[in-house]
Amino acid sequence: MTDDDSDNAFEPMGLRKIIHVDMDAFYASVEQRDDPALRGKPVAVGGDGIRGVVCAASYEARKFGVRSAIPSSMAKRLCPQLSFVRPRFAVYRQVSKQIRAIFDEFTPHVEPLALDEAYLDVTDDLKGIGSATRIAELIRARIKAETGLTASAGVSYNKFLAKIASDQNKPDGLCLIRPGEGARFVADLPVRRFHGIGPKGAEKMERLGIHTGGDIAAKDMIFLRQHFGSQADYLYRAARGIDLRRVSANRARKSIGAERTYDHDLSTGPALHEALEKIVALVWADIDRLHARGRTITLKLRYADFSLKTRARSLDAPVAFRDQFAGIGHALLDELLPLPQPVRLLGLTLSSLQGERGEGVTPPRDEQLSLL
């Protein structure tokens, strides 16, 4: 584990050179960049209404415990001086395109994960720079010069380790994990740092006496499969610093959707149909822009008591027209009427996609709207 710029050990072993670039508090940093009055102050991007949710938080806000996905009301209690800013996704997408253009100058092998992060495979070293760590440094410098924003980067021989490394020295940091160092690095890693292990998974592991990657590595496959099922293979490999996944420049989008949480519960059929029509317009705009076609339409309702209900319909042929998409969505809603209780969230998704031509750096609408 190191952050110096020597990664010559990659070459003799014929290993991949992977960089994971992660923008620092991206949405909040863009807002602070564009509004000098917000610089150095705790900022939350998101809605500040009764049911608002924090979409992103500046590092100044994180010191108070403000994090993405927590209710805005909780964020205000944690940090009374918190400034809320409504999301500007058009701006974030434009900045993301600037960053993507920088990536593309160094390698065609770019796998975006969201607007603010991506994997890069720089094994081929098209510019003859000679070091993956040096490439990461040049990319970070270019991002800072062209956007005024900082990025952190992780460099290693697989995606799992590169992603972990990018978080190691945040913000505005860089970390290199060389070949032969992966298992040792992961051994001391808290299980919460493993991608895919959420709070509930971490709690389960703690009950089993598992606190670090080394604790996972000490368990055999029989134990892991008994307690973690299909996740066992991933845990077994990750705990040893192994990840065989390739950087995929054309990673397919699985679905396109939108959902909206309302300040006041919707309790009548007409109100729900009116709200659904607005969501249809948002989703179809993305479907049309991406030239995507899919066969499965899923309606999602979250009731006032937070219970969830979904209805889905799969067709033999892809949905071809907006009216067809809207009609099926409204028909699925009719199946759930009359309501057993008021609705606080409504969503609609198209999946089983084919012929999709995504830009790769644009998040699906459900990622955007569910955070407002």
Side-chain angles (χ1 to χ4, degrees):
M1 176 180 64
T2 183
D3 59 0
D4 68 36
D5 62 358
S6 174
D7 53 39
N8 294 331
F10 285 81
E11 294 295 347
M13 300 182 67
L15 297 174
R16 310 304 297 176
K17 294 185 178 184
I18 310 298
I19 301 172
H20 179 258
V21 179
D22 192 4
M23 299 301 296
D24 298 320
F26 182 51
Y27 296 171
S29 294
V30 170
E31 299 302 335
Q32 290 177 315
R33 180 197 68 177
D34 294 348
D35 184 353
L38 297 176
R39 294 173 189 171
K41 297 181 179 180
V43 174
V45 177
D48 61 352
I50 297 174
R51 290 183 175 170
V53 176
V54 174
C55 174
S58 68
Y59 283 100
E60 295 86 355
R62 295 180 189 184
K63 293 177 181 178
F64 293 87
V66 178
R67 296 286 187 272
S68 62
I70 71 170
S72 298
S73 56
M74 178 187 298
K76 292 177 184 177
R77 289 195 299 271
L78 292 170
C79 182
Q81 65 269 45
L82 188 64
S83 296
F84 275 88
V85 181
R86 299 293 293 183
R88 298 183 298 155
F89 287 105
V91 175
Y92 308 149
R93 284 195 294 270
Q94 184 57 43
V95 177
S96 182
K97 288 180 180 179
Q98 286 182 267
I99 297 167
R100 175 60 187 268
I102 295 171
F103 294 161
D104 289 341
E105 289 187 26
F106 291 88
T107 176
H109 307 297
V110 179
E111 181 182 333
L113 301 181
L115 287 177
D116 60 343
E117 62 175 319
Y119 290 112
L120 291 73
D121 187 331
V122 297
T123 309
D124 295 337
D125 192 9
L126 300 181
K127 291 180 175 287
I129 294 168
S131 162
T133 309
R134 180 59 181 156
I135 294 173
E137 290 174 338
L138 292 171
I139 288 173
R140 292 175 61 240
R142 285 280 302 279
I143 290 172
K144 181 67 179 294
E146 296 183 23
T147 71
L149 304 171
T150 63
S152 295
V155 181
S156 195
Y157 53 94
N158 65 46
K159 293 166 72 172
F160 173 73
L161 293 173
K163 185 171 176 63
I164 288 174
S166 69
D167 194 47
Q168 188 70 13
N169 295 321
K170 269 186 167 289
D172 196 19
L174 187 148
C175 177
L176 166 67
I177 303 176
R178 293 189 180 90
E181 296 180 342
R184 186 167 67 252
F185 184 95
V186 174
D188 296 327
L189 198 72
V191 293
R192 289 179 180 270
R193 291 276 306 278
F194 278 62
H195 179 66
I197 298 180
K200 291 185 178 179
E203 290 175 5
K204 179 179 180 179
M205 287 188 170
E206 289 177 5
R207 291 195 299 269
L208 294 169
I210 299 173
H211 306 282
T212 66
D215 294 332
I216 298 175
K219 304 298 182 183
D220 59 28
M221 185 61 78
I222 295 175
F223 177 93
L224 293 175
R225 285 178 176 161
Q226 177 184 354
H227 293 281
F228 302 106
S230 60
Q231 201 178 21
D233 289 346
Y234 159 71
L235 292 174
Y236 184 89
R237 290 192 298 268
R240 290 160 174 78
I242 299 170
D243 184 358
L244 304 178
R245 297 174 300 158
R246 292 273 185 171
V247 170
S248 176
N250 297 304
R251 190 163 62 98
R253 187 191 297 267
K254 295 181 180 180
S255 66
I256 301 173
E259 59 185 39
R260 173 68 56 87
T261 299
Y262 300 97
D263 289 338
H264 303 285
D265 293 338
L266 304 179
S267 56
T268 67
L272 281 165
H273 280 293
E274 181 180 354
L276 180 60
E277 190 58 34
K278 294 178 180 178
I279 293 176
V280 166
L282 290 168
V283 180
W284 193 260
D286 275 351
I287 292 171
D288 202 37
R289 175 175 58 81
L290 296 170
H291 302 281
R293 293 295 178 263
R295 296 184 298 102
T296 301
I297 299 171
T298 303
L299 179 77
K300 175 181 176 181
L301 275 70
R302 190 176 297 281
Y303 295 116
D305 66 354
F306 288 87
S307 61
L308 184 66
K309 180 72 72 173
T310 61
R311 284 287 186 273
R313 183 175 301 175
S314 294
L315 309 177
D316 293 333
V319 176
F321 304 104
R322 182 190 187 283
D323 288 348
Q324 182 187 15
F325 179 65
I328 294 173
H330 286 287
L332 292 171
L333 177 58
D334 283 334
E335 293 178 10
L336 297 173
L337 297 176
L339 295 171
Q341 57 178 303
V343 168
R344 71 188 314 270
L345 178 147
L346 181 65
L348 192 67
T349 300
L350 180 69
S351 57
S352 300
L353 300 184
Q354 50 189 270
E356 182 257 337
R357 192 178 70 202
E359 296 177 350
V361 295
T362 303
R365 289 277 187 176
D366 51 345
E367 180 179 341
Q368 298 178 9
L369 298 182
S370 63
L371 299 171
L372 303 186

